[in-house]
Amino acid sequence: MLELEQDEIKRRAVGLHLLLFDVDGVMTDGGIILIEEKGEAKRFDVRDGMGVTLARTAGLKVGIITGRESAAVYRRAEELGIDEVCQGYFYKEDALNLLLEKHALDVSQVAYVGDDVLDLPVMKRVGLPIAVHNASPEVKEHSIYVTQAPGGYGAVREVIDWLLELRGQKEAVYGLFASSKEKRS
Ligand SMILES: [Mg+2]
């Protein structure tokens, strides 16, 4: 893991604008179920999904960058209101560059959560590179945080909870969803 002062990690979390996730192995456990003819199935975690809602409520933009392309991912992204969906990017840095330009952001304002070697070019650039528990050792080495939870089983939610806590927003955002319907609207 990269050694960084806690104050510096907090500073970067507070300055964060765009939270990016890889899909396979991060939003899922990495399993891909191939269905006859064409099409594939993936299993997503519902608490991770709520995490995305919490992050967007906290004012963060959320995006995904994946090397594969599948209808299941478009559908899940739409369900969750994910702001940026970049599928079919074998070179994930290309997607990062597009997003930086589109949102007029500096790499320091971006977090990326990955698990494998294709994620490294992006992770080596962004302000907050994060690895999931099941990530390859090289990916963990280039991270400032490694989740306890594995991909597909709460890693996304753990990252979002960690970031909201660092940003001092967790209590307020959780409070919003824990309150009655009248208070929420
Ligand atoms: Mg992956």
Side-chain angles (χ1 to χ4, degrees), residues 41-109:
K42 294 178 196 289
R43 175 198 164 282
F44 295 95
D45 183 295
V46 75
R47 292 185 63 252
D48 282 350
M50 185 63 208
V52 169
T53 301
L54 295 168
R56 295 185 72 246
T57 302
L60 294 172
K61 289 247 181 290
V62 178
I64 59 183
I65 303 179
T66 169
R68 297 178 62 87
E69 181 161 18
S70 85
V73 171
Y74 284 121
R75 186 168 153 200
R76 185 62 176 155
E78 198 179 334
E79 278 180 0
L80 299 179
I82 288 180
D83 302 282
E84 296 292 351
V85 183
C86 304
Q87 292 209 75
Y89 281 89
F90 186 76
Y91 298 103
K92 297 190 175 190
E93 231 184 331
D94 291 347
L96 175 69
N97 290 334
L98 280 174
L99 295 176
L100 289 174
E101 194 175 323
K102 181 177 172 186
H103 294 278
L105 293 174
D106 183 79
V107 276
S108 64
Q109 299 168 290

Side-chain angles (χ1 to χ4, degrees), residues 22-26 30 65-66 92 112-119:
D22 171 37
V23 175
D24 296 299
V26 171
I65 303 179
T66 169
K92 297 190 175 190
Y112 183 90
V113 188
D115 74 318
D116 211 346
V117 64
L118 284 182
D119 300 310

